Amino acid sequence: MSMTLGPDEFSIEVDSLGGTPLVRLGSVPKGLLEVAVALRGGRVQRCSFIWADDDSPTPCYVAVERARNNGSLVISGFYCHNLPFGLTVRELDVLTLVAIGKSNIEIASRLNLSARTVTTHVDHIMGKMSVRSRTAAAVIAVDGGLLKVPFPGGDDGFDLLELGRAFGGTATRRVVRQPRVVKKPFAFGAVLPLHGLAAADGAEMLRGGRLAIDELNRRGGVDGRQLVMEIADVDILDAESVRRGLIALAERDVDVLTSGYFAQQDLAHEIVANWGVPYLHAATMRMMEERVCSDPRRYQNIFQVCASDAHYAPRFVGVLTGLRDTGGWLPSSNRLVVIQGAWDLTDLGVVQAYALAERHGWQIDVIRIFGDDHDSWASLADRIRHGEPAAVMIGNYHVSGTVSFIDSFLADPSDTLVYALYSPSIPEFREQLGERSEGIVWATVTGTYSDAPARAFAGRYRKRFGVSPGRSHAGLAYDRVQLAATALSLAANPRSSRAVADELRVVIHRGVNGTYYFGNESQTAWTYPSPGVDPSLAQAHLIFQIQDGRQRIIDPSPFADARFRPQSWLARSRQAD
């Protein structure tokens, strides 16, 4: 055998008797050479396949043919830097098992994946191959030599194919003889406030993330690798604490980074942009959306898993307009007040709310609070009580400030509907206010639903930790890990930050807090209701009311499980009832 080969090509000829390579040209994968020696005495005459084992970083297309003159086996091939149809190696695993008639559940079991991940892989395979059925994909794979060797998950079932019979068990024999390799786990970094102002919320985030990791590991992890959580405890108000936490996780080489919210979220964005790790954060800030849009290349790895704060004030106006116009609430006047919190990066969408209010006959006043202590909030509550607007939106995310305001207001309430943001989602809120929390209306752009998947999640959470989850960040942290795990499992190279970020940009994940889809320039989850937004691709901007000591969703449809009840201090509405 005499020939000239290109740099990515190789060829070997194996004696049919002795098994010694007669000719070897180019760089032949070690594992393939061992299989070739094992094949030399078999009945194989001609076959082709894709060789991809753990020792070969680049897959190879291989053709095998037995020479007629001396019975030796000629094996030639080339390295595939790009697999046919743009398939990934993991998709090739799945396609190979589809070719022997395995169901998604059977494939999931053999590859240590979830059935949902396998379903996604099959959908991607059919799309890339431009076929409408699994059978069509299988036929192309068998006829075109697109089956992966060593056979994924062992030889069982491959005797149905001529290729499997040709190998006669040699395709995975070398792998079986090798000692079990423990793969490096995927590390999920979590920057959490486990002390200080947001410690109760940090505990929610920690438990939600741990539950997701525990469940994924029980199902085999991701691509056979276990998941671990690396935690950095930070003070969300201290820029230096946040910086140290992020740097610590960078030094631990985490594969994915997650966080809740920081007062200096812009600092986190800059550190992570320089680092390059896929980052899923829950800082509901329009300014951060605008930052990502300003330089998509620099911030391509940053994803905001919930809609921005700019939706809060317009939604406040919209909800109150609906209650007024349907007769569910009789406002004391046409005046609304929006209290804007002290964080510099906060934008509650006041400009849009002004325009919306004018169309619906409201007048809006905005009050900016700069102190976050009890006296500042109590003074503000007194001001609201004496001014008696129809409704007040407490634009504050922390339990302490919201509780201080409500506690002071309820000492002698005016006929003013109280509408809070986010903080009542944390169990600590009701623990501190007790029965005085009854009737409070509150909104969140990311809340845990009341449907069957969310109830099942809450049950597993209670069983695992002995407490019930709140209605926002526990579910969000759980979903965030599941979402990142899906992206890792789909990525062509899960150790490549860019490959994982590419999957995050296109994956659609339905979690307990709704649907996550980053199909926009800012890479921010969509919100519903919002003009032109499909609710099946968004997270509902939920409006809750505490009724009989329970969190009930009163808007929007179809997610609501209760109707608004006039708060006990709303004199006009209560008299009308």
Side-chain angles (χ1 to χ4, degrees):
M1 181 171 64
S2 176
M3 64 181 72
T4 301
L5 301 180
D8 287 333
E9 298 177 325
F10 58 83
S11 182
I12 53 176
E13 183 176 350
V14 181
D15 187 337
S16 63
L17 297 177
T20 302
L22 301 175
V23 181
R24 177 176 175 179
L25 299 174
S27 177
V28 182
K30 178 182 177 182
L32 179 59
L33 182 61
E34 294 179 14
V35 170
V37 171
L39 279 174
R40 92 276 185 192
R43 298 180 179 180
V44 62
Q45 298 298 315
R46 181 184 293 107
C47 64
S48 58
F49 52 88
I50 303 289
W51 177 266
D53 69 352
D54 291 340
D55 296 331
S56 303
T58 304
C60 310
Y61 184 84
V62 179
V64 179
E65 187 168 2
R66 191 171 297 278
R68 293 184 178 181
N69 56 349
N70 60 7
S72 63
L73 207 63
V74 178
I75 300 176
S76 57
F78 58 88
Y79 287 91
C80 303
H81 297 286
N82 295 294
L83 289 172
F85 299 104
L87 297 174
T88 66
V89 173
R90 176 53 86 195
E91 288 168 348
L92 196 63
D93 283 333
V94 173
L95 177 60
T96 301
L97 292 170
V98 167
I100 60 171
K102 296 299 182 183
S103 68
N104 286 0
I105 293 176
E106 290 172 320
I107 295 172
S109 176
R110 287 181 73 147
L111 298 181
N112 290 320
L113 301 175
S114 70
R116 182 170 60 184
T117 297
V118 172
T119 299
T120 302
H121 280 310
V122 171
D123 289 344
H124 285 183
I125 290 166
M126 291 169 57
K128 290 179 178 182
M129 298 178 76
S130 299
V131 296
R132 295 185 177 181
S133 70
R134 300 163 67 96
T135 302
V139 169
I140 293 173
V142 173
D143 291 347
L146 301 184
L147 302 181
K148 182 188 168 190
V149 178
F151 295 137
D155 290 327
D156 182 43
F158 283 95
D159 57 349
L160 298 173
L161 300 178
E162 184 178 354
L163 179 65
R165 293 191 295 273
F167 276 100
T170 62
T172 56
R173 190 176 299 153
R174 185 181 69 89
V175 176
V176 171
R177 287 202 307 265
Q178 290 181 337
R180 180 176 179 269
V181 176
V182 178
K183 297 180 178 180
K184 179 184 176 183
F186 288 117
F188 283 63
V191 189
L192 304 177
L194 300 180
H195 72 283
L197 179 66
D201 214 9
E204 293 275 300
M205 301 175 200
L206 177 61
R207 289 191 289 259
R210 279 184 170 166
L211 180 62
I213 284 179
D214 288 349
E215 292 178 355
L216 287 164
N217 283 338
R218 282 198 297 271
R219 295 198 296 266
V222 174
D223 288 346
R225 300 177 190 271
Q226 292 289 285
L227 311 178
V228 296
M229 181 180 281
E230 297 284 351
I231 299 166
D233 178 14
V234 302
D235 180 345
I236 62 171
L237 301 179
D238 184 345
E240 180 58 23
S241 173
V242 171
R243 188 194 68 80
R244 287 196 305 267
L246 291 167
I247 296 302
L249 291 179
E251 291 173 348
R252 296 180 214 172
D253 195 26
V254 299
D255 296 284
V256 176
L257 180 68
T258 65
S259 74
Y261 42 82
F262 313 122
Q264 298 84 11
Q265 186 63 45
D266 51 344
L267 169 66
H269 270 52
E270 294 311 309
I271 292 173
V272 175
N274 291 334
W275 176 2
V277 69
Y279 178 35
L280 300 165
H281 73 91
T284 55
M285 295 178 178
R286 180 159 64 179
M287 288 188 180
M288 294 301 98
E289 287 191 73
E290 293 172 348
R291 180 166 297 214
V292 171
C293 291
S294 71
D295 193 344
R297 184 178 182 84
R298 173 167 172 74
Y299 302 107
Q300 62 183 315
N301 57 307
I302 298 177
F303 301 85
Q304 186 168 304
V305 296
C306 46
S308 79
D309 51 4
H311 296 278
Y312 276 127
R315 183 88 164 104
F316 170 62
V317 174
V319 168
L320 296 186
T321 300
L323 290 176
R324 180 197 65 187
D325 293 351
T326 58
W329 168 55
L330 297 179
S332 59
S333 69
N334 70 337
R335 289 182 54 245
L336 306 177
V337 170
V338 171
I339 300 172
Q340 190 154 353
W343 284 15
D344 292 337
L345 299 179
T346 299
D347 176 2
L348 299 177
V350 171
V351 173
Q352 297 91 325
Y354 276 130
L356 186 63
E358 186 176 1
R359 287 203 303 271
H360 292 289
W362 299 106
Q363 174 189 332
I364 288 187
D365 295 325
V366 177
I367 301 174
R368 187 70 184 262
I369 185 169
F370 294 98
D372 203 27
D373 57 282
H374 173 79
D375 289 344
S376 297
W377 283 105
S379 175
L380 189 54
D382 188 60
R383 179 176 172 182
I384 294 298
R385 184 167 52 245
H386 285 91
E388 197 175 30
V392 58
M393 185 182 93
I394 310 169
N396 171 66
Y397 303 135
H398 306 299
V399 170
S400 57
T402 305
V403 166
S404 293
F405 177 92
I406 293 174
D407 209 20
S408 299
F409 174 83
L410 290 181
D412 184 20
S414 58
D415 194 340
T416 300
L417 189 152
V418 176
Y419 183 108
L421 299 187
Y422 180 72
S423 58
S425 72
I426 307 168
E428 180 188 34
F429 176 85
R430 284 187 292 163
E431 292 169 5
Q432 291 192 17
L433 274 180
E435 293 181 357
R436 288 167 297 167
S437 66
E438 182 69 19
I440 295 297
V441 175
W442 63 276
T444 178
V445 292
T446 178
T448 305
Y449 290 6
S450 296
D451 58 10
R455 292 195 302 271
F457 156 75
R460 297 193 304 274
Y461 186 102
R462 279 191 296 271
K463 183 177 180 180
R464 172 71 170 80
F465 302 109
V467 294
S468 294
R471 295 304 294 262
S472 184
H473 256 292
L476 184 64
Y478 177 86
D479 288 347
R480 198 162 48 198
V481 170
Q482 299 280 358
L483 172 62
T486 298
L488 285 167
S489 69
L490 294 174
N493 178 4
R495 295 296 186 187
S496 164
S497 293
R498 176 166 292 186
V500 175
D502 286 345
E503 293 299 334
L504 285 170
R505 268 186 284 278
V506 298
V507 73
I508 299 172
H509 176 75
R510 173 57 157 90
V512 299
N513 278 32
T515 302
Y516 300 79
Y517 176 53
F518 304 116
N520 53 58
E521 189 180 9
S522 67
Q523 301 188 153
T524 299
W526 292 4
T527 188
Y528 170 83
S530 189
V533 170
D534 181 344
S536 69
L537 297 177
Q539 295 174 49
H541 186 148
L542 297 178
I543 311 300
F544 287 84
Q545 186 177 32
I546 300 174
Q547 298 180 355
D548 302 322
R550 297 175 57 199
Q551 299 279 18
R552 306 297 298 271
I553 300 173
I554 61 172
D555 198 78
S557 178
F559 307 101
D561 61 359
R563 298 180 64 182
F564 170 74
R565 294 180 186 174
Q567 294 163 337
S568 61
W569 56 89
L570 297 178
R572 290 171 178 78
S573 298
R574 302 292 289 189
Q575 289 170 3
D577 284 350

Short mmCIF file of all heavy atoms in Angstrom, two decimals, residues 473-516:
data_model
loop_
_atom_site.label_atom_id
_atom_site.label_comp_id
_atom_site.label_asym_id
_atom_site.label_seq_id
_atom_site.Cartn_x
_atom_site.Cartn_y
_atom_site.Cartn_z
N HIS A 473 -37.43 33.53 44.96
CA HIS A 473 -36.04 33.15 44.71
C HIS A 473 -35.72 31.69 44.97
O HIS A 473 -34.74 31.17 44.41
CB HIS A 473 -35.09 34.05 45.49
CG HIS A 473 -34.43 35.07 44.61
ND1 HIS A 473 -33.52 34.75 43.65
CD2 HIS A 473 -34.59 36.41 44.54
CE1 HIS A 473 -33.12 35.84 43.02
NE2 HIS A 473 -33.76 36.87 43.54
N ALA A 474 -36.49 30.99 45.77
CA ALA A 474 -36.25 29.55 45.92
C ALA A 474 -36.50 28.86 44.58
O ALA A 474 -35.68 28.07 44.10
CB ALA A 474 -37.15 28.97 47.01
N GLY A 475 -37.66 29.16 43.97
CA GLY A 475 -37.98 28.59 42.67
C GLY A 475 -37.04 29.07 41.58
O GLY A 475 -36.64 28.31 40.69
N LEU A 476 -36.67 30.35 41.64
CA LEU A 476 -35.78 30.91 40.63
C LEU A 476 -34.41 30.24 40.68
O LEU A 476 -33.83 29.90 39.64
CB LEU A 476 -35.64 32.42 40.85
CG LEU A 476 -34.81 33.19 39.82
CD1 LEU A 476 -35.46 33.12 38.45
CD2 LEU A 476 -34.65 34.64 40.25
N ALA A 477 -33.88 30.04 41.88
CA ALA A 477 -32.57 29.38 42.01
C ALA A 477 -32.63 27.94 41.53
O ALA A 477 -31.69 27.43 40.90
CB ALA A 477 -32.11 29.43 43.47
N TYR A 478 -33.74 27.27 41.82
CA TYR A 478 -33.94 25.90 41.34
C TYR A 478 -33.96 25.87 39.81
O TYR A 478 -33.26 25.07 39.17
CB TYR A 478 -35.26 25.37 41.90
CG TYR A 478 -35.64 23.98 41.44
CD1 TYR A 478 -35.18 22.86 42.11
CD2 TYR A 478 -36.49 23.80 40.35
CE1 TYR A 478 -35.54 21.58 41.70
CE2 TYR A 478 -36.86 22.53 39.93
CZ TYR A 478 -36.38 21.43 40.61
OH TYR A 478 -36.74 20.17 40.19
N ASP A 479 -34.75 26.75 39.22
CA ASP A 479 -34.85 26.81 37.75
C ASP A 479 -33.52 27.15 37.11
O ASP A 479 -33.17 26.63 36.05
CB ASP A 479 -35.88 27.87 37.34
CG ASP A 479 -37.31 27.45 37.62
OD1 ASP A 479 -37.55 26.26 37.89
OD2 ASP A 479 -38.20 28.33 37.56
N ARG A 480 -32.78 28.05 37.74
CA ARG A 480 -31.52 28.54 37.17
C ARG A 480 -30.52 27.39 37.02
O ARG A 480 -29.83 27.28 36.00
CB ARG A 480 -30.97 29.62 38.09
CG ARG A 480 -29.94 30.52 37.51
CD ARG A 480 -29.81 31.78 38.34
NE ARG A 480 -29.71 31.53 39.77
CZ ARG A 480 -29.93 32.44 40.70
NH1 ARG A 480 -30.28 33.66 40.36
NH2 ARG A 480 -29.79 32.15 41.98
N VAL A 481 -30.44 26.51 38.01
CA VAL A 481 -29.54 25.36 37.93
C VAL A 481 -30.02 24.40 36.84
O VAL A 481 -29.21 23.90 36.04
CB VAL A 481 -29.45 24.64 39.29
CG1 VAL A 481 -28.72 23.31 39.15
CG2 VAL A 481 -28.74 25.52 40.31
N GLN A 482 -31.32 24.15 36.79
CA GLN A 482 -31.86 23.25 35.76
C GLN A 482 -31.58 23.80 34.37
O GLN A 482 -31.22 23.05 33.44
CB GLN A 482 -33.37 23.06 35.97
CG GLN A 482 -33.76 22.44 37.29
CD GLN A 482 -33.61 20.93 37.32
OE1 GLN A 482 -33.24 20.32 36.31
NE2 GLN A 482 -33.90 20.30 38.45
N LEU A 483 -31.77 25.10 34.20
CA LEU A 483 -31.53 25.75 32.91
C LEU A 483 -30.06 25.63 32.51
O LEU A 483 -29.73 25.28 31.37
CB LEU A 483 -31.94 27.21 33.02
CG LEU A 483 -31.62 28.14 31.85
CD1 LEU A 483 -32.31 27.68 30.58
CD2 LEU A 483 -32.03 29.57 32.18
N ALA A 484 -29.16 25.92 33.44
CA ALA A 484 -27.73 25.84 33.14
C ALA A 484 -27.32 24.40 32.83
O ALA A 484 -26.49 24.16 31.94
CB ALA A 484 -26.92 26.38 34.30
N ALA A 485 -27.89 23.44 33.56
CA ALA A 485 -27.56 22.03 33.31
C ALA A 485 -28.00 21.62 31.91
O ALA A 485 -27.30 20.86 31.22
CB ALA A 485 -28.23 21.15 34.36
N THR A 486 -29.16 22.10 31.48
CA THR A 486 -29.61 21.80 30.12
C THR A 486 -28.64 22.35 29.09
O THR A 486 -28.28 21.67 28.11
CB THR A 486 -31.02 22.39 29.88
OG1 THR A 486 -31.94 21.79 30.80
CG2 THR A 486 -31.49 22.14 28.46
N ALA A 487 -28.18 23.59 29.29
CA ALA A 487 -27.23 24.19 28.36
C ALA A 487 -25.92 23.41 28.33
O ALA A 487 -25.33 23.19 27.27
CB ALA A 487 -26.98 25.65 28.74
N LEU A 488 -25.44 22.97 29.49
CA LEU A 488 -24.21 22.17 29.55
C LEU A 488 -24.38 20.87 28.78
O LEU A 488 -23.47 20.43 28.06
CB LEU A 488 -23.85 21.87 31.00
CG LEU A 488 -23.24 23.01 31.82
CD1 LEU A 488 -23.22 22.64 33.30
CD2 LEU A 488 -21.82 23.33 31.35
N SER A 489 -25.53 20.23 28.93
CA SER A 489 -25.75 18.94 28.28
C SER A 489 -25.87 19.07 26.77
O SER A 489 -25.58 18.12 26.04
CB SER A 489 -27.00 18.26 28.85
OG SER A 489 -28.18 18.95 28.46
N LEU A 490 -26.30 20.24 26.29
CA LEU A 490 -26.49 20.44 24.86
C LEU A 490 -25.25 21.00 24.17
O LEU A 490 -25.12 20.89 22.95
CB LEU A 490 -27.66 21.40 24.61
CG LEU A 490 -29.05 20.91 25.03
CD1 LEU A 490 -30.07 22.02 24.86
CD2 LEU A 490 -29.45 19.69 24.20
N ALA A 491 -24.35 21.59 24.94
CA ALA A 491 -23.18 22.25 24.35
C ALA A 491 -22.25 21.23 23.67
O ALA A 491 -22.03 20.14 24.19
CB ALA A 491 -22.41 23.02 25.42
N ALA A 492 -21.73 21.62 22.51
CA ALA A 492 -20.78 20.75 21.81
C ALA A 492 -19.58 20.45 22.69
O ALA A 492 -19.07 19.33 22.71
CB ALA A 492 -20.33 21.42 20.51
N ASN A 493 -19.14 21.45 23.44
CA ASN A 493 -18.06 21.28 24.42
C ASN A 493 -18.50 21.97 25.70
O ASN A 493 -18.40 23.19 25.82
CB ASN A 493 -16.76 21.89 23.91
CG ASN A 493 -15.63 21.77 24.94
OD1 ASN A 493 -15.80 21.17 26.00
ND2 ASN A 493 -14.48 22.34 24.62
N PRO A 494 -19.00 21.21 26.68
CA PRO A 494 -19.53 21.83 27.90
C PRO A 494 -18.48 22.55 28.73
O PRO A 494 -18.83 23.30 29.64
CB PRO A 494 -20.15 20.66 28.66
CG PRO A 494 -19.45 19.45 28.14
CD PRO A 494 -19.15 19.74 26.71
N ARG A 495 -17.20 22.33 28.44
CA ARG A 495 -16.14 23.06 29.15
C ARG A 495 -15.83 24.39 28.46
O ARG A 495 -15.01 25.16 28.95
CB ARG A 495 -14.87 22.22 29.23
CG ARG A 495 -15.01 20.95 30.05
CD ARG A 495 -15.31 21.23 31.51
NE ARG A 495 -15.31 20.01 32.31
CZ ARG A 495 -15.67 19.95 33.58
NH1 ARG A 495 -16.06 21.04 34.21
NH2 ARG A 495 -15.65 18.80 34.23
N SER A 496 -16.49 24.65 27.34
CA SER A 496 -16.30 25.91 26.63
C SER A 496 -17.38 26.90 27.06
O SER A 496 -18.57 26.67 26.83
CB SER A 496 -16.38 25.69 25.12
OG SER A 496 -16.56 26.91 24.43
N SER A 497 -16.98 28.00 27.67
CA SER A 497 -17.95 29.00 28.11
C SER A 497 -18.76 29.53 26.94
O SER A 497 -19.97 29.76 27.05
CB SER A 497 -17.23 30.16 28.81
OG SER A 497 -16.66 29.73 30.02
N ARG A 498 -18.11 29.73 25.81
CA ARG A 498 -18.82 30.26 24.65
C ARG A 498 -19.87 29.26 24.15
O ARG A 498 -20.99 29.65 23.80
CB ARG A 498 -17.84 30.60 23.53
CG ARG A 498 -18.52 31.06 22.25
CD ARG A 498 -17.55 31.69 21.28
NE ARG A 498 -17.05 32.95 21.79
CZ ARG A 498 -16.26 33.77 21.09
NH1 ARG A 498 -15.89 33.45 19.86
NH2 ARG A 498 -15.84 34.90 21.62
N ALA A 499 -19.51 27.97 24.13
CA ALA A 499 -20.46 26.96 23.66
C ALA A 499 -21.68 26.89 24.57
O ALA A 499 -22.81 26.75 24.11
CB ALA A 499 -19.77 25.60 23.57
N VAL A 500 -21.45 26.98 25.88
CA VAL A 500 -22.57 26.94 26.83
C VAL A 500 -23.44 28.19 26.68
O VAL A 500 -24.67 28.12 26.68
CB VAL A 500 -22.05 26.81 28.27
CG1 VAL A 500 -23.21 26.88 29.27
CG2 VAL A 500 -21.29 25.50 28.45
N ALA A 501 -22.80 29.35 26.53
CA ALA A 501 -23.56 30.59 26.33
C ALA A 501 -24.37 30.54 25.04
O ALA A 501 -25.51 31.03 24.99
CB ALA A 501 -22.61 31.79 26.32
N ASP A 502 -23.82 29.92 24.00
CA ASP A 502 -24.55 29.78 22.74
C ASP A 502 -25.84 28.98 22.95
O ASP A 502 -26.88 29.30 22.38
CB ASP A 502 -23.68 29.09 21.69
CG ASP A 502 -22.58 30.00 21.14
OD1 ASP A 502 -22.68 31.23 21.34
OD2 ASP A 502 -21.64 29.47 20.52
N GLU A 503 -25.77 27.94 23.77
CA GLU A 503 -26.97 27.14 24.04
C GLU A 503 -27.96 27.92 24.90
O GLU A 503 -29.18 27.84 24.69
CB GLU A 503 -26.60 25.83 24.74
CG GLU A 503 -25.80 24.87 23.88
CD GLU A 503 -26.54 24.42 22.63
OE1 GLU A 503 -27.80 24.44 22.63
OE2 GLU A 503 -25.88 24.07 21.64
N LEU A 504 -27.47 28.69 25.86
CA LEU A 504 -28.37 29.49 26.70
C LEU A 504 -29.16 30.49 25.86
O LEU A 504 -30.30 30.83 26.19
CB LEU A 504 -27.58 30.23 27.78
CG LEU A 504 -27.09 29.39 28.95
CD1 LEU A 504 -26.11 30.17 29.81
CD2 LEU A 504 -28.26 28.90 29.79
N ARG A 505 -28.57 30.96 24.77
CA ARG A 505 -29.26 31.94 23.93
C ARG A 505 -30.45 31.34 23.19
O ARG A 505 -31.35 32.08 22.77
CB ARG A 505 -28.29 32.56 22.93
CG ARG A 505 -27.63 33.83 23.44
CD ARG A 505 -26.78 34.48 22.36
NE ARG A 505 -25.52 33.77 22.17
CZ ARG A 505 -24.45 33.93 22.92
NH1 ARG A 505 -24.49 34.78 23.93
NH2 ARG A 505 -23.35 33.26 22.69
N VAL A 506 -30.48 30.04 23.00
CA VAL A 506 -31.55 29.45 22.18
C VAL A 506 -32.44 28.48 22.95
O VAL A 506 -33.54 28.16 22.50
CB VAL A 506 -30.96 28.72 20.96
CG1 VAL A 506 -30.22 29.70 20.06
CG2 VAL A 506 -30.02 27.58 21.37
N VAL A 507 -32.00 28.01 24.11
CA VAL A 507 -32.79 27.01 24.83
C VAL A 507 -34.05 27.66 25.41
O VAL A 507 -34.06 28.84 25.76
CB VAL A 507 -31.94 26.37 25.95
CG1 VAL A 507 -31.73 27.33 27.11
CG2 VAL A 507 -32.60 25.09 26.45
N ILE A 508 -35.12 26.89 25.46
CA ILE A 508 -36.37 27.31 26.10
C ILE A 508 -36.63 26.35 27.25
O ILE A 508 -36.74 25.14 27.04
CB ILE A 508 -37.54 27.29 25.10
CG1 ILE A 508 -37.27 28.26 23.94
CG2 ILE A 508 -38.85 27.65 25.80
CD1 ILE A 508 -38.29 28.16 22.82
N HIS A 509 -36.71 26.89 28.45
CA HIS A 509 -36.85 26.04 29.64
C HIS A 509 -38.08 26.45 30.43
O HIS A 509 -38.20 27.61 30.84
CB HIS A 509 -35.61 26.16 30.52
CG HIS A 509 -35.71 25.38 31.80
ND1 HIS A 509 -35.59 24.01 31.85
CD2 HIS A 509 -35.94 25.79 33.08
CE1 HIS A 509 -35.74 23.61 33.10
NE2 HIS A 509 -35.95 24.66 33.87
N ARG A 510 -38.98 25.52 30.65
CA ARG A 510 -40.16 25.78 31.49
C ARG A 510 -39.85 25.33 32.91
O ARG A 510 -39.65 24.14 33.17
CB ARG A 510 -41.37 25.03 30.94
CG ARG A 510 -42.64 25.09 31.82
CD ARG A 510 -43.10 26.51 32.13
NE ARG A 510 -44.51 26.56 32.47
CZ ARG A 510 -45.01 26.44 33.71
NH1 ARG A 510 -44.20 26.26 34.73
NH2 ARG A 510 -46.32 26.50 33.91
N GLY A 511 -39.78 26.28 33.81
CA GLY A 511 -39.48 25.98 35.20
C GLY A 511 -40.67 26.25 36.10
O GLY A 511 -41.79 26.50 35.64
N VAL A 512 -40.44 26.25 37.40
CA VAL A 512 -41.53 26.48 38.35
C VAL A 512 -41.87 27.96 38.46
O VAL A 512 -42.93 28.32 38.98
CB VAL A 512 -41.18 25.90 39.73
CG1 VAL A 512 -40.97 24.40 39.64
CG2 VAL A 512 -39.96 26.57 40.35
N ASN A 513 -40.99 28.84 37.96
CA ASN A 513 -41.27 30.28 37.91
C ASN A 513 -41.66 30.74 36.52
O ASN A 513 -41.61 31.92 36.22
CB ASN A 513 -40.05 31.08 38.38
CG ASN A 513 -39.95 31.19 39.89
OD1 ASN A 513 -40.34 30.28 40.60
ND2 ASN A 513 -39.41 32.28 40.38
N GLY A 514 -42.04 29.81 35.66
CA GLY A 514 -42.41 30.18 34.30
C GLY A 514 -41.36 29.74 33.30
O GLY A 514 -40.54 28.87 33.56
N THR A 515 -41.39 30.38 32.13
CA THR A 515 -40.53 29.98 31.02
C THR A 515 -39.37 30.94 30.86
O THR A 515 -39.54 32.16 30.94
CB THR A 515 -41.34 29.92 29.71
OG1 THR A 515 -42.41 28.99 29.87
CG2 THR A 515 -40.47 29.46 28.55
N TYR A 516 -38.20 30.37 30.60
CA TYR A 516 -36.97 31.14 30.42
C TYR A 516 -36.57 31.08 28.95
O TYR A 516 -36.34 29.99 28.41
CB TYR A 516 -35.84 30.58 31.29
CG TYR A 516 -36.16 30.61 32.76
CD1 TYR A 516 -36.99 29.65 33.33
CD2 TYR A 516 -35.67 31.62 33.58
CE1 TYR A 516 -37.31 29.67 34.68
CE2 TYR A 516 -35.98 31.65 34.94
CZ TYR A 516 -36.80 30.68 35.47
OH TYR A 516 -37.11 30.71 36.81
#
